[in-house]
Amino acid sequence: MAKPQHPTPMLDELESGPWPSFVTGLKRLANDKDYVVDVLGQLETSYRTRKGYWKGGTVGVFGYGGGVIPRFTELKDANDQPVFKDAAEFHTLRVMPPPGMHYTTEVLRKLCDAWERHGSGLIAFHGQSGDIMFQGATSANVQKAFDEINELGFDLGGAGPAVRTSMSCVGAARCEQSCYDEARAHRAVINSFLDDIHRPSLPYKFKFKFSGCPNDCMNSIQRADMAVIGTWRDNIRADEPLVRKWFARHGIGELVNDVVARCPTKAIRIVPVAGMGSAANLTTVKLDDAQALQIDNHDCVRCMHCINVITGGLAPGQDKGATILVGGKRTLKIGDMMGTVVVPFIKLATDEDREKLVELGQKIIDFFADNALEHERTGEMIERIGLVNFLDALGLEVDPSMVACPRTNPYVRMDGWDDEVARLEAAKTAKATGSTAPDASA
């Protein structure tokens, strides 16, 4: 039986609403742990004074330079002793989850039991970086907790200026929209960059995230330095019986309002059956004997909206792969950024394809390590040096898919274009033949 709990009138208010509260969970743990009793006391003090009392420090496990977030209390009495002495230390272990976050109930129970023995019992599945967050352990118990968790097959995730824990959606295991094997790609990357995860040596953090389709369930475009998002480059597929079944249930009004009108590029229209057309870029489905749904795939930007609404009736194409974007992040130096396309399409069907992905990741990380300023994310580095310089360093060709927004100036100087075209043609010819490119200006 733990010691009596401290009065917590402000925390009690968090239990008064209709939703479950973390305070209830902490109080339950405090029934058996003096440690959590004092954690609640310190948290109540923080709410009352509107001040945080945790500071960092140095705590780790043998062989690792990261993965543990140290927290020591700053709340001391007149004799410089912790006011809540049983909670003077509250370290967090970041642990990598399996790709796609697949667990068995047996493993989950063992993880919980290990943390009940060595920590506070407080666990977050999952933190913003993707890790399992085992929150609250003393310095003496950090190594013991890690040893037991490691015996279950789990490793520490990233912390500090390092490659961080990667995340992938459940994808091909359960989702019909998946465009590549996210778990295999995730595993290939993690195995290659494990040393960069455990031994921080970068200017700042670097995150990989893997989403199986443009729905981007991992929010990788906003949060990943290197986002791998599934896509396709042929036509949207259609299952006519399922489309007609959906149409019979929902009617023309819902089709127009929820599908046609919401297509961002107006690539979808309803046409009479007599004038359907049969161009290679068209996906056409008869709705009834009089009208048909037609998608112009040249205008499709893979937003997934029509596929999400008419699930099963419409589906991603068969020529599947992924788009790679670089530079997504939350606010730091220059505000929130979304990733910029650097590879419009890459196949990820074989081990050789995944090796190319890893090689590109290594190039990007090496360039980031050599050229970023301290505490600067990849997107901020690209913004500072320019996308063209970044692409040139990686040996990637410029593509219209990389345009972030239309030009605001309608005027373009065209003098010198002929010379530039001649130079590029000469360079391509030289590359193909292995000879030295002549000077196009001569």
Side-chain angles (χ1 to χ4, degrees):
M1 185 69 182
K3 64 185 181 182
Q5 296 191 26
H6 304 285
T8 55
M10 299 193 76
L11 292 179
D12 294 346
E13 284 296 313
L14 297 178
E15 296 183 280
S16 61
W19 308 110
S21 172
F22 74 96
V23 176
T24 304
L26 284 174
K27 287 182 177 179
R28 178 177 54 79
L29 292 170
N31 289 329
D32 302 309
K33 291 177 179 280
D34 290 347
Y35 184 47
V36 184
V37 171
D38 278 5
V39 167
L40 282 165
Q42 174 151 327
L43 186 58
E44 175 71 21
T45 304
S46 289
Y47 273 56
R48 189 177 69 251
T49 62
R50 300 185 181 183
K51 179 181 177 183
Y53 294 101
W54 297 116
K55 64 177 181 178
T58 303
V59 178
V61 296
F62 293 122
Y64 292 75
V68 179
I69 304 172
R71 292 290 181 265
F72 297 91
T73 186
E74 286 186 310
L75 191 60
K76 305 290 183 66
D77 60 20
N79 298 316
D80 200 34
Q81 295 299 310
V83 175
F84 300 103
K85 59 183 179 62
D86 288 321
E89 300 165 352
F90 196 78
H91 312 311
T92 293
L93 271 68
R94 280 182 166 172
V95 173
M96 281 194 277
M101 290 172 281
H102 292 275
Y103 302 97
T104 64
T105 52
E106 180 186 10
V107 164
L108 289 174
R109 289 181 186 279
K110 287 180 178 178
L111 287 172
C112 292
D113 290 344
W115 198 239
E116 287 279 359
R117 281 190 286 273
H118 303 295
S120 67
L122 187 63
I123 307 174
F125 285 93
H126 297 86
Q128 182 76 351
S129 292
D131 299 286
I132 313 169
M133 306 293 281
F134 290 91
Q135 298 169 321
T138 62
S139 299
N141 281 351
V142 165
Q143 184 69 52
K144 297 175 186 175
F146 170 68
D147 288 343
E148 191 163 335
I149 291 168
N150 191 230
E151 281 294 317
L152 295 174
F154 290 85
D155 202 357
L156 288 185
V163 174
R164 294 296 184 86
T165 299
S166 297
M167 293 181 72
S168 57
C169 63
V170 69
R174 296 193 64 181
C175 180
E176 60 190 335
Q177 315 298 12
S178 175
C179 294
Y180 68 97
D181 192 329
E182 306 82 1
R184 284 184 183 274
H186 182 170
R187 187 66 181 263
V189 166
I190 284 298
N191 287 351
S192 299
F193 296 107
L194 208 56
D195 192 63
D196 294 298
I197 293 173
H198 291 151
R199 291 164 183 82
S201 59
L202 299 177
Y204 199 33
K205 56 190 171 185
F206 189 99
K207 297 180 180 179
F208 291 92
K209 295 192 189 299
F210 301 85
S211 287
C213 76
N215 279 323
D216 193 17
C217 293
M218 289 291 98
N219 295 325
S220 63
I221 192 172
Q222 300 112 313
R223 296 166 52 202
D225 297 275
M226 183 169 169
V228 184
I229 303 178
T231 188
W232 65 95
R233 54 183 177 182
D234 56 346
N235 293 347
I236 288 177
R237 288 178 293 152
D239 185 316
E240 188 167 299
L242 288 179
V243 173
R244 296 182 77 154
K245 183 178 179 181
W246 184 94
F247 180 68
R249 185 166 63 250
H250 296 276
I252 189 68
E254 196 162 332
L255 179 65
V256 170
N257 293 330
D258 287 356
V259 180
V260 177
R262 293 179 185 271
C263 178
T265 55
K266 308 301 180 188
I268 306 176
R269 59 181 184 153
I270 296 172
V271 298
V273 170
M276 286 194 310
S278 58
N281 61 295
L282 297 178
T283 298
T284 306
V285 194
K286 286 184 180 180
L287 300 171
D288 52 32
D289 293 336
Q291 52 196 346
L293 182 73
Q294 191 170 81
I295 302 172
D296 185 343
N297 288 278
H298 283 172
D299 290 334
C300 176
V301 290
R302 318 297 193 263
C303 78
M304 295 293 291
H305 177 71
C306 63
I307 294 174
N308 291 336
V309 175
I310 313 177
T311 303
L314 299 177
Q318 293 180 312
D319 188 8
K320 297 177 180 179
T323 296
I324 298 175
L325 303 95
V326 173
K329 68 173 193 70
R330 282 303 317 273
T331 304
L332 190 62
K333 292 187 185 333
I334 57 175
D336 294 8
M337 299 178 69
M338 288 192 177
T340 298
V341 173
V342 296
V343 178
F345 188 86
I346 180 174
K347 296 289 281 187
L348 289 174
T350 65
D351 289 340
E352 289 75 20
D353 295 334
R354 289 182 281 272
E355 285 175 12
K356 292 177 183 177
L357 176 68
V358 171
E359 288 171 9
L360 177 62
Q362 189 66 66
K363 284 183 181 179
I364 293 172
I365 289 174
D366 289 345
F367 186 82
F368 173 62
D370 292 340
N371 294 278
L373 303 178
E374 185 177 357
H375 217 67
E376 182 177 58
R377 293 288 291 273
T378 312
E380 292 159 341
M381 175 194 70
I382 294 172
E383 187 84 1
R384 177 171 55 81
I385 69 174
L387 179 61
V388 172
N389 291 326
F390 178 73
L391 295 171
D392 186 56
L394 265 58
L396 298 172
E397 293 188 8
V398 176
D399 186 277
S401 301
M402 300 168 184
V403 175
C405 62
R407 289 185 299 110
T408 55
N409 183 348
Y411 300 101
V412 180
R413 291 184 63 94
M414 297 180 64
D415 49 307
W417 276 27
D418 291 340
D419 292 342
E420 180 65 11
V421 169
R423 185 187 70 78
L424 291 173
E425 289 296 330
K428 285 184 179 179
T429 302
K431 185 177 180 181
T433 60
S435 59
T436 304
D439 186 352
S441 63

